[in-house]
């Protein structure tokens, strides 16, 4: 299973990542992958990732350009994005 | 419907006149312009940078305008949002809505702004006399959007 | 505050930019433009004549803007209303309001329009395919104004 | 007692008067003059005046450029105006 992940604003700046391609083994974990599970998975990378994705900061997720909540399911080939609450206008 | 995300400035008078003249049964055009303030949370702002999620932004804005069109009897709407680096008094966003009567245009225009503020993927970073900082989302913006669920 | 009653057309972009640039802490400008529709009550309109009560009109408009300024935290407002003979798609009225944040500007702009519709001494006469007729005041306009007493 | 009266829109057109100066004897009637009393007084001129000022048409009054109701008192030198409900904007 292959997904693309994008990071924006404070997340991009602190994680020093704007985009990455992630390949996951096609197992139970991948087949039931949600936004929350993916956050927890990425948070294991190190303290900074833990803090940014599972800390106090509110992180919103999008799948294929649609805002989704933590329980939304991620499928093979999806474009996932993580960002802080939006502040345009 | 016109939705544009651009670094260039826009001409409000031109956009409003386009809307006005598109249909001879247009009776009302309501517009909103947001611009960079030189003051935020008590600090002097010298610069503002707008980041966005290219690919999602236009889709999110179009979805918001579609929602407005399904809720109110409006003729057309224009949404232009700038990205990149701006200075105080620079224009950030224009939302203009045309309709036969004023009530519908007022509601749709404010609705689009309230949803844009909470659902369109833009992020602001400002340079102030206290240094650089990301602007935090406001609870008042969430509340402004929630109002529209009630009626 | 700017209040003008005139036969000449106005330049919306110019007026809005004046408001925008008057203060560097301006964050929002909301504007309304009303224009002549080619259709009213199902009949085709070819011409509209606006009469007013010279001497009272400006005072009435200023009183309305003053009320808006005392109710909401706005910076400035412009009201321009045309009189004389107009054709479909001609601009009739511009109301533009500046403020720090959008909520106040939206409310004040709509308030000014609702009061203008019911308290400023203008009368419209239209030429339609059914002949000439005075436009009757609408109950919906009274209701729109009454809303503002509730909160 | 001397007042100025202005008529607008449908009233002006039907009455064929846009403005007039009215002089009244300085008696009890004049001293307690209200918008309603003045309407009734003018309505006596003929059927057209009766119809326009005391008929089905809603007539609004202003004294010295201020919208007033039927009970508002009129004083010497006042500018009084009669017109249908306004329809600008």
């Amino acid at each position: 299973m292959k997904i693309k992940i994008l990071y924006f604003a404070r997340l991009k700046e602190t994680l020093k990542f704007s985009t990455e391609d992630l390949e996951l083994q096609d197992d139970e974990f991948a087949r039931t992958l949600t936004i929350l599970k993916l956050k927890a998975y990425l948070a294991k990378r190190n303290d900074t990732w833990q803090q940014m994705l599972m800390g106090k900061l509110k992180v919103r997720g999008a799948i294929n350009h649609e805002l989704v909540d933590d329980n939304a399911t991620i499928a093979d080939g999806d474009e996932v994005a993580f960002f802080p609450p939006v502040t345009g206008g | 419907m016109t939705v544009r995300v651009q670094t260039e400035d826009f001409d409000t008078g031109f956009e409003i006149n386009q809307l006005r003249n598109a249909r001879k049964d247009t009776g009302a055009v309501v517009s909103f312009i947001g611009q960079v303030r030189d003051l935020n949370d008590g600090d002097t702002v010298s610069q503002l940078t707008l980041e966005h999620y290219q690919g999602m932004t236009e889709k999110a804005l179009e979805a918001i305008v579609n929602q407005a069109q399904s809720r109110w009897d409006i003729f057309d709407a224009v949404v232009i949002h700038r990205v990149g680096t701006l200075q105080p008094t620079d224009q950030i966003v224009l939302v203009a809505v045309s309709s036969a009567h004023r009530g519908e245009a007022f509601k749709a225009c404010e609705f689009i702004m309230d949803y844009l503020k909470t659902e369109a993927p833009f992020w602001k970073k400002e340079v102030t006399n206290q240094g650089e900082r990301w602007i935090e989302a406001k609870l008042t913006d969430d509340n402004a959007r929630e109002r529209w669920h009630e009626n």
Side-chain angles (χ1 to χ4, degrees), chain B residues 109-140:
Chain B
C109 186
E110 196 169 9
F111 172 92
I112 291 171
M113 270 311 300
D114 287 345
Y115 273 68
L116 185 157
K117 282 265 181 188
T118 50
E119 308 213 330
F122 294 102
W123 301 274
K124 283 176 183 158
K125 189 181 193 172
E126 59 189 5
V127 181
T128 76
N129 49 352
Q130 306 293 313
E132 270 192 28
R133 65 187 180 199
W134 288 98
I135 294 184
E136 302 288 339
K138 286 187 201 139
L139 191 61
T140 51

Side-chain angles (χ1 to χ4, degrees), chain A residues 62-74:
Chain A
I63 299 176
N64 300 328
H65 304 139
E66 296 268 0
L67 276 180
V68 293
D69 64 27
D70 272 356
N71 302 316
T73 325
I74 300 164

Side-chain angles (χ1 to χ4, degrees), chain B residues 55-73:
Chain B
M56 175 171 170
T57 321
E58 284 87 348
K59 282 184 205 171
L61 294 174
E62 281 165 17
I64 293 166
V65 174
N66 278 331
Q67 251 190 291
Q69 278 176 320
S70 71
R71 285 185 70 153
W72 292 285
D73 196 4

Side-chain angles (χ1 to χ4, degrees), chain A residues 29-49:
Chain A
F29 173 77
R31 278 192 298 276
T32 60
L33 191 61
T34 62
I35 288 285
L36 186 63
K37 277 190 186 175
L38 179 59
K39 277 190 204 170
Y41 174 86
L42 297 167
K44 288 184 198 139
R45 286 176 172 172
N46 68 35
D47 279 1
T48 309
W49 285 80

